[in-house]
Amino acid sequence: MRKTARYASLAAAGLLGLSSLTACANDAASSTADTGSGGSGRGESVKIMVGGLDKVIYLPAMLTQRLGYFQAEGLKVQLLSEPAGVQAETALVSGQVQGAVGFYDHTLDLQVKGKAVESVVQFSHAPGEVEVVSDKAAGDLTSPKDFKGRKLGVTGLGSSTDFLTKYLAVKNGVNVSEFTPVAVGAGPTFIAALQNGAIDGGMTTDPTVATLLDKKAGKILVDMRTPEGSQEALGGPYPSSSLYMQTDWVNGHKNTVQKLANAFVKTLKWMSTHSADEIAAKMPADYSQGDKALYAQAIKSTLPMFTDDGVMPQGGPETVEKVLKAFNPNIKNAKVDLSKTYTTEFVKAVK
């Protein structure tokens, strides 16, 4: 009972911390979201929910806003934030927002649930995720083969971190029922859970990874921030961060979607020709949490995951399907039409 109470207290503290992070991110987004085109207040309005605005894996969303590329396309984009990608997915399918910035794998998961959703701009060709282990558990937890009996942190149950953790387990001979996924969010709540022993390890992204290493609170077990890391851990390119939207909405608003693609691809190209320090300087000041050098390092470590053209990497959808089929019974026993989970129509039309 004491353990249950302690975990409940930690969860409550985590929710409070995540609320604060989300509020900061929303404040940052709101400060630039309503400028419209050329400051006139006019323009097509689009709401986009991001699975954590301050996560480096989703950096193109806020960076596009900060560079003024939405406004240049005549768009009024309001960026909203939720702690986990699965919550961004929920906001999209419920119609609260027109777009979601989250992992591409949600489009496959949703298809088998009868929802037509597609990636329209693919930000990445690697997950950008890192499996870390606490110093206390590091001696016995040396690979995913040791996941059995462990408590492993994920941003949220049903999130992409949850999906990838389950795949790493199954790939290494551990059944998904043999370990316990624990929803601990990211940032301070993830680090606190690791330090307090609420989790033995977990999957997270930068800047949490950079902060955790700086605090010497844990060690890297599996690094998927690069295409090479993705190949080693997952067997191929793994398209993750993307702008995905409901297919019906895309088909009914092609002009608006093209403008979004124009803006995001311009950002991806800008990122490919600028340093991590230059990128960090464009982001909201509070994203660095008082340590600009550490934040720039977090961006540098994650930059290899991004595409420079928004195009779906060849073989990427097949890798994602293979990963999901390994542990997800709904997808394992279903036929997924990968051609309907993404489109390159808009990114290939960018001039």
Side-chain angles (χ1 to χ4, degrees):
M1 289 300 290
R2 288 195 192 95
K3 286 186 178 180
T4 303
R6 180 160 59 87
Y7 296 154
S9 298
L10 178 65
L15 286 172
L16 182 60
L18 287 170
S19 298
S20 299
L21 282 173
T22 303
C24 289
N26 282 337
D27 288 345
S30 298
S31 67
T32 53
D34 301 322
T35 54
S37 177
S40 65
R42 294 192 300 272
E44 299 167 71
S45 296
V46 181
K47 288 183 180 180
I48 297 175
M49 184 66 79
V50 184
L53 261 173
D54 55 350
K55 294 177 184 176
V56 178
I57 56 170
Y58 300 140
L59 181 148
M62 180 56 76
L63 183 58
T64 303
Q65 190 78 280
R66 303 283 287 192
L67 290 171
Y69 293 160
F70 291 137
Q71 295 92 325
E73 292 291 331
L75 298 172
K76 289 176 64 178
V77 174
Q78 184 179 5
L79 297 174
L80 305 170
S81 188
E82 286 284 2
V86 66
Q87 293 158 324
E89 169 198 297
T90 300
L92 178 70
V93 297
S94 66
Q96 297 175 50
V97 296
Q98 289 76 51
V101 169
F103 269 37
Y104 161 71
D105 55 21
H106 291 292
T107 67
L108 281 71
D109 189 47
L110 287 167
Q111 185 183 113
V112 301
K113 295 174 181 174
K115 306 288 185 182
V117 174
E118 60 188 14
S119 165
V120 295
V121 183
Q122 194 58 50
F123 296 165
S124 60
H125 47 191
E129 300 282 354
V130 178
E131 183 72 23
V132 297
V133 58
S134 71
D135 284 344
K136 183 179 179 181
D140 300 319
L141 183 47
T142 59
S143 84
K145 294 178 181 178
D146 302 320
F147 280 180
K148 187 174 181 179
R150 299 292 185 171
K151 300 184 296 291
L152 301 174
V154 297
T155 51
L157 301 182
S159 67
S160 297
T161 52
D162 190 19
F163 292 164
L164 287 170
T165 301
K166 287 175 177 173
Y167 176 73
L168 290 178
V170 171
K171 181 187 176 187
N172 287 277
V174 180
N175 193 285
V176 295
S177 64
E178 293 182 307
F179 69 93
T180 304
V182 183
V184 292
T189 55
F190 183 98
I191 294 172
L194 199 68
Q195 291 177 317
N196 295 339
I199 57 174
D200 301 302
M203 191 168 292
T204 190
T205 60
D206 278 310
T208 305
V209 177
T211 303
L212 187 149
L213 295 177
D214 185 61
K215 289 177 176 287
K216 296 181 171 51
K219 299 175 181 176
I220 291 177
L221 201 65
V222 181
D223 193 338
M224 297 178 285
R225 291 177 291 186
T226 66
E228 295 78 15
S230 177
Q231 179 71 41
E232 183 178 350
L234 306 173
Y238 196 91
S240 55
S241 307
S242 66
L243 170 68
Y244 63 88
M245 313 179 90
Q246 296 202 62
T247 301
D248 284 348
W249 199 91
V250 171
N251 292 337
H253 301 81
K254 288 199 171 189
N255 186 49
T256 300
V257 177
Q258 186 61 61
K259 291 178 179 180
L260 287 167
N262 294 345
F264 278 124
V265 171
K266 193 172 181 181
T267 296
L268 292 169
K269 290 186 183 301
W270 188 93
M271 289 170 61
S272 71
T273 58
H274 289 75
S275 69
D277 287 327
E278 291 171 319
I279 295 170
K282 291 290 184 181
M283 300 302 285
D286 62 335
Y287 280 25
S288 67
Q289 297 181 23
D291 193 330
K292 293 181 180 179
L294 189 63
Y295 182 58
Q297 179 57 49
I299 293 174
K300 184 177 181 179
S301 297
T302 305
L303 273 179
M305 73 175 281
F306 294 107
T307 69
D308 61 3
D309 56 9
V311 176
M312 176 65 72
Q314 187 172 3
E318 289 78 10
T319 304
V320 173
E321 182 182 29
K322 178 196 72 174
V323 166
L324 296 182
K325 279 184 176 292
F327 66 86
N328 187 322
N330 294 329
I331 293 181
K332 186 175 184 177
N333 301 317
K335 180 172 176 54
V336 179
D337 187 344
L338 293 176
S339 69
K340 293 182 178 179
T341 61
Y342 71 96
T343 177
T344 59
E345 172 187 351
F346 302 98
V347 293
K348 289 191 173 180
V350 175
K351 297 175 183 177

